[in-house]
């Protein structure tokens, strides 16, 4: 939506779509969690380090993991290898990753919040230096037609983990805290909003061409809470980033939202494009395309299944959103770790060979 006149032209199709410039023949494609356990070379690299967070704070591992999917597949973007918990970790949030469980955070107390609030900005971003160094090197190494993406977790999604300590399906602890301890809740969201915005600014300055805000748990909120804890903080992040980097390209992914919420999000946050999951209808995607480009929504299980399930899904999505100008091909959520890599090759071939005529 927002464009910067001073920005040099680039040949990357993903950036052309985000800028509303020349339409590529077929939609650019990348895959959420495209670097990861479904790739044997990732599992080998990952095995070199015991701790997932050590891996995420090592410039060499970040660069190698980021490039692995691009070495295999004709993807249009690389996403820097990291995690939404890199920022909380750098802030000094007590957290760890457990095999087979995922992130485990100390449940947020006023003591923890005080500690996070008193950390200096310099210390936080010094700790994240490996991410910035990787982005700079990656932008130098990657060809111009491949976009480089950075990312962060949205404040609401970070709150979901901070208030429950572990993945909780309906996010009951965070939702309850937002009602019972509104001031405490607001303080945490505000802190995450301010730091996330600055984190994205620094990723863009280091070399990212665009960034994505992952709001994986946006879909569990009622209308008023959605407006307050998903929409408003995202709008503030977008506005803070664009104050420092006019025209910054920002993709917002409020997963699990109904059509009305998605429409408000696209209209009110100012994001350059909106990501949708597999439950969003083609009709809603077309309505959103009137506002901004749309990313997603292939069911990750179609990619896991492969064959006819994959082919039918890719074709019906491409036909429904034709022509290709305001669509970024992606899954509706991260790739499943059991996905055979050949299915990704098949998917990209189906997209790139698709005849829109
Ligand atoms: O897209 C990419 O290739 C970049 C890498 C990336 C990771 N996490 C690496 C990762 C990205 C973009 C993320 C985002 C992320 N992390 C989100 C938002 C997107 C989503 O999936 O909803 C969330 C909620 C997290 C938090 C997280 N990290 C969980 C819940 C888990 C455990 C479950 C799981 O999928 O493994 C992780 C661990 C994690 N993050 C792994 C990877 C490759 C697996 C750990 C390992 O390899 O040892």
């Amino acid at each position: 939506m927002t464009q910067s006149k001073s920005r040099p032209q680039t040949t990357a199709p993903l950036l052309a779509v985000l800028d509303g410039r020349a339409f590529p023949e077929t939609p650019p494609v990348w895959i959420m969690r495209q670097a990861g356990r479904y790739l044997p070379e990732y599992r080998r690299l990952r095995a070199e380090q015991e701790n997932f967070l050590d891996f995420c704070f090592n410039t060499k591992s970040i660069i190698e993991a980021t490039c692995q999917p691009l070495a295999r597949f004709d993807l249009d973007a690389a996403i820097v290898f990291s995690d939404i918990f890199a920022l909380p970790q750098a802030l000094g949030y007590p957290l760890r990753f457990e095999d087979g469980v995922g992130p485990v955070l100390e449940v947020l107390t006023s003591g923890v919040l005080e500690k996070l609030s008193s950390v200096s900005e310099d210390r936080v971003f010094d700790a994240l230096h490996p991410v910035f160094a990787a982005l700079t090197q990656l932008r130098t190494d990657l060809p111009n037609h491949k976009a480089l993406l950075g990312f962060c977790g949205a404040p609401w999604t970070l709150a979901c983990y901070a208030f429950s300590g572990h993945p909780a399906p309906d996010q009951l602890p965070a939702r309850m805290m937002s009602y019972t301890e509104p001031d405490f809740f607001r303080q945490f969201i505000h802190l995450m909003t301010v730091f996330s915005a600055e984190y994205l600014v620094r990723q863009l300055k280091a070399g990212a061409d665009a960034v994505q805000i992952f709001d994986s748990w946006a879909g569990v909120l009622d209308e008023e809470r959605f407006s307050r804890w998903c929409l408003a903080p995202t709008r503030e992040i977008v506005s803070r980033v664009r104050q420092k980097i006019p025209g910054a390209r920002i993709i917002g992914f409020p997963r699990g939202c109904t059509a009305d919420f998605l429409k408000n999000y696209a209209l009110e946050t100012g994001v350059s494009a909106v990501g949708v999951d597999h439950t969003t209808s083609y009709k809603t995607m077309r309505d959103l395309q009137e506002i901004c480009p749309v990313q997603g929504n292939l069911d990750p299980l179609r990619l896991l299944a492969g064959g006819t399930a994959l082919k039918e899904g890719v074709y019906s999505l491409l036909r429904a959103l034709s022509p290709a100008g305001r669509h970024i091909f992606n899954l509706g959520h991260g790739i499943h770790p059991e996905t055979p890599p050949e299915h990704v090759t098949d998917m990209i071939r189906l997209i790139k060979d698709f005849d829109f005529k």
Side-chain angles (χ1 to χ4, degrees):
M1 281 207 315
T2 314
Q3 293 184 35
S4 160
K5 291 206 176 65
S6 58
R7 195 193 295 128
Q9 292 284 305
T10 146
T11 52
L14 175 64
L15 306 183
V17 169
L18 288 175
D19 292 346
R21 282 193 276 109
F23 289 177
E25 266 175 47
T26 55
V29 53
W30 69 281
I31 301 171
M32 286 187 276
R33 303 285 201 104
Q34 64 191 25
R37 286 161 298 179
Y38 74 106
L39 292 176
E41 59 271 32
Y42 170 80
R43 294 196 297 271
R44 276 196 298 275
L45 181 68
R46 174 71 185 84
E48 289 172 16
Q49 276 165 69
E50 203 180 312
N51 188 310
F52 178 64
L53 282 166
D54 290 344
F55 187 85
C56 288
F57 281 85
N58 179 313
T59 304
K60 211 169 143 269
S61 326
I62 300 173
I63 294 174
E64 199 168 334
T66 304
C67 291
Q68 283 177 342
L70 276 89
R72 266 189 191 251
F73 314 117
D74 186 13
L75 292 157
D76 291 294
I79 178 163
V80 68
F81 189 88
S82 185
D83 196 84
I84 61 166
F85 292 106
L87 175 63
Q89 163 79 7
L91 271 160
Y93 199 112
L95 67 94
R96 62 183 195 280
F97 275 82
E98 267 180 28
D99 283 345
V101 179
V104 180
L105 282 73
E106 199 173 298
V107 175
L108 190 71
T109 56
S110 46
V112 172
L113 186 58
E114 223 166 89
K115 189 180 129 194
L116 303 183
S117 309
S118 63
V119 184
S120 82
E121 199 178 278
D122 284 350
R123 243 189 80 191
V124 174
F125 292 112
D126 280 353
L128 287 160
H129 181 260
V131 178
F132 306 132
L135 281 164
T136 303
Q137 187 63 46
L138 283 161
R139 192 52 282 170
T140 306
D141 295 349
L142 286 167
N144 272 348
H145 63 281
K146 305 283 180 189
L148 177 60
L149 304 176
F151 70 92
C152 72
W156 161 250
T157 286
L158 295 175
C160 287
Y161 291 92
F163 287 101
S164 67
H166 55 85
D170 49 7
Q171 305 311 333
L172 209 125
R175 280 161 62 209
M176 269 310 275
M177 284 301 272
S178 83
Y179 295 120
T180 57
E181 300 285 348
D183 288 337
F184 183 45
F185 192 83
R186 184 177 309 113
Q187 280 173 43
F188 179 74
I189 292 279
H190 178 69
L191 189 72
M192 290 303 127
T193 302
V194 172
F195 273 98
S196 300
E198 185 58 28
Y199 185 33
L200 295 184
V201 165
R202 292 184 189 226
Q203 291 185 57
L204 288 159
K205 285 188 174 162
D209 300 304
V211 289
Q212 174 154 317
I213 302 172
F214 284 92
D215 214 346
S216 305
W217 295 108
V220 300
L221 295 167
D222 72 17
E223 188 162 2
E224 184 271 338
R225 295 284 110 167
F226 176 74
S227 175
R228 186 174 300 196
W229 300 130
C230 171
L231 224 145
T234 305
R235 182 172 53 226
E236 189 174 342
I237 292 174
V238 171
S239 138
R240 281 172 175 263
V241 172
R242 296 228 178 100
Q243 264 162 33
K244 293 199 176 165
I245 306 180
R249 305 173 183 105
I250 304 171
I251 305 169
F253 177 42
R255 188 174 70 93
C257 287
T258 55
D260 285 347
F261 287 23
L262 283 168
K263 200 173 161 202
N264 288 345
Y265 183 97
L267 283 171
E268 291 177 30
T269 58
V271 291
S272 321
V274 62
V276 299
D277 70 24
H278 70 278
T279 63
T280 300
S281 72
Y282 299 145
K283 158 86 171 60
T284 298
M285 290 178 77
R286 283 193 298 268
D287 290 347
L288 289 168
Q289 284 181 311
E290 302 285 319
I291 307 168
C292 63
V294 178
Q295 175 178 285
N297 86 336
L298 191 84
D299 183 355
L301 296 196
R302 286 193 184 269
L303 185 57
L304 176 63
T308 313
L310 176 61
K311 194 170 173 175
E312 280 175 1
V314 171
Y315 282 0
S316 51
L317 179 56
L318 290 176
R319 268 189 221 111
L321 299 188
S322 162
R326 270 156 93 82
H327 181 210
I328 299 162
F329 202 102
N330 207 318
L331 305 181
H333 198 196
I335 185 169
H336 192 283
E338 304 289 319
T339 305
E342 313 79 69
H343 291 188
V344 176
T345 311
D346 294 345
M347 182 184 85
I348 295 173
R349 193 179 313 114
L350 289 169
I351 300 164
K352 305 260 171 191
D353 291 349
F354 190 77
D355 187 357
F356 278 92
K357 277 172 227 114

